[in-house]
Amino acid sequence: MQRIDVTRDDGTWAGLSLDVRDRHQPDLCVHTAGPRLLVSQLSRPVLLAVVEEPLQGVHFRRADGYRSFVPPLRADTARALSGSPERWAHRFARYLSDSPGSPLHEGRWLLTCESPILHGRHPTTSHAEHWSSMLVEGDPDGYIDWYLHSHSWEVLPLRPMPGPGDSRVKAYRKQAREGTLPPVLLWWVSGLDCHLILDGHARLAAAIAESVEPPLLQVHRTAARDDLAAGIEDAVGAYESALARFAGLRAFHGPTVPDGAATTGPQFARQLRDLHTARQPTWSWPLPGGEDQWWRIAHEVTVGNAWPPA
């Protein structure tokens, strides 16, 4: 896997581009069977979901199959890497690439500390209130409401959230107060219109308990190599055409007309950045056996209970 650091316009670090090859289907995989979804990890059911027509939301049922591919993070490591999302990103990229159970597959990905979730808190709302509201409720089943929470980018735990008295949460609460809490790792899944917690359930619980903003790293698909090359070619063509128009105006009206660089340059830079970083839809794979297999798995996961709701 090739890693390339991505920077903002001012040169500061914004994320890590991951170019993955020769991994045709991930260990943590989204399967589809009509309007039904199954997230599985190493063939274990993790999450069952049914899209409610007409696209108003998703009923979900969490199974007990998810296991984090990130090893326990030591306190001395957290102190050494605190305040450096770039160094954390390189460490998590190694786990995403090398550990079984990861969602990475062939293509281009972005691992970034910039997430729309970070910009949704009202100034009068505490961090605890905001992050509690961002968690999708339901254990083991619940509902992701696309009507009321469209593009609010909620967070769906893949395991039950531990309480503030949990031993791991207590340990992380101390790190949250010290400012050394390791990032929570999220995966954007477009078919659910929310983020799944890949690692850091206890860390997020600790941040909520201490009412501090949790550090985040979010991974999502970006444009494929061929699409990226075509997009760059189009952006370069548009940039050159715009400069040519300004040059024609200057030739006709004189040097009082600007050369266009101040206008078209930043726009060109934004287009290139967006091509490298913008979210792309999550890939899914047809579920072998289709809807019949999905229902068999649902029956096993729910032990015959009435789910999904009629």
Side-chain angles (χ1 to χ4, degrees):
M1 180 180 72
Q2 183 182 19
R3 309 181 206 167
I4 301 175
D5 288 303
V6 178
T7 57
R8 304 181 182 92
D9 293 341
D10 60 3
T12 57
W13 186 86
L16 190 61
S17 177
L18 311 176
D19 193 344
V20 181
R21 300 173 186 266
D22 300 323
R23 187 180 296 184
H24 301 299
Q25 185 167 327
D27 294 335
L28 184 60
C29 186
V30 180
H31 296 280
T32 55
R36 295 169 176 80
L37 284 75
L38 168 69
V39 180
S40 67
Q41 184 184 43
L42 299 169
S43 301
R44 298 186 305 266
V46 170
L47 189 77
L48 289 152
V50 181
V51 176
E52 182 183 49
E53 296 296 341
L55 302 180
Q56 290 187 331
V58 180
H59 296 279
F60 70 86
R61 173 86 182 206
R62 187 172 50 236
D64 190 28
Y66 183 70
R67 304 291 181 271
S68 175
F69 51 85
V70 178
L73 302 174
R74 294 170 54 90
D76 55 351
T77 301
R79 286 191 293 271
L81 301 184
S82 65
S84 177
E86 179 178 0
R87 295 175 67 190
W88 274 119
H90 279 273
R91 178 174 287 263
F92 277 114
R94 190 164 69 244
Y95 301 141
L96 283 161
S97 174
D98 300 340
S99 303
S102 163
L104 294 195
H105 56 75
E106 189 171 39
R108 295 180 61 256
W109 299 73
L110 182 70
L111 185 58
T112 178
C113 59
E114 296 183 346
S115 172
I117 305 176
L118 298 173
H119 308 299
R121 184 177 70 88
H122 192 274
T124 62
T125 303
S126 70
H127 289 295
E129 292 172 322
H130 173 69
W131 286 98
S132 296
S133 70
M134 293 305 297
L135 286 172
V136 179
E137 297 180 352
D139 182 23
D141 57 301
Y143 184 70
I144 305 169
D145 193 326
W146 289 350
Y147 182 75
L148 292 178
H149 300 285
S150 177
H151 300 299
S152 62
W153 301 289
E154 292 178 297
V155 176
L156 177 60
L158 289 178
R159 294 197 296 260
M161 288 293 291
D166 180 272
S167 59
R168 297 165 301 161
V169 176
K170 287 181 178 179
Y172 283 129
R173 290 182 70 169
K174 183 174 184 294
Q175 293 183 9
R177 292 192 297 271
E178 295 173 347
T180 61
L181 191 67
V184 178
L185 181 61
L186 304 177
W187 173 31
W188 167 253
V189 177
S190 61
L192 298 171
D193 194 29
C194 72
H195 299 82
L196 302 183
I197 302 178
L198 295 179
D199 188 71
H201 293 74
R203 297 195 294 277
L204 181 54
I208 292 173
E210 293 296 325
S211 196
V212 299
E213 184 165 88
L216 298 180
L217 283 173
Q218 172 186 308
V219 63
H220 60 255
R221 279 190 64 244
T222 55
R225 285 178 289 274
D226 291 345
D227 295 337
L228 177 64
I232 291 175
E233 184 177 352
D234 290 343
V236 169
Y239 176 62
E240 292 175 342
S241 296
L243 290 180
R245 286 195 300 273
F246 275 99
L249 291 171
R250 282 172 65 87
F252 185 81
H253 295 288
T256 56
V257 176
D259 62 8
T263 302
T264 59
Q267 182 180 4
F268 178 54
R270 284 194 299 272
Q271 287 179 313
L272 293 180
R273 184 180 64 248
D274 290 345
L275 284 169
H276 282 89
T277 62
R279 288 194 309 268
Q280 296 295 312
T282 308
W283 278 8
S284 62
W285 281 258
L287 179 65
E291 294 193 29
D292 289 343
Q293 177 63 10
W294 188 93
W295 281 108
R296 280 191 289 270
I297 295 171
H299 183 77
E300 293 171 1
V301 168
T302 61
V303 198
N305 292 338
W307 189 91

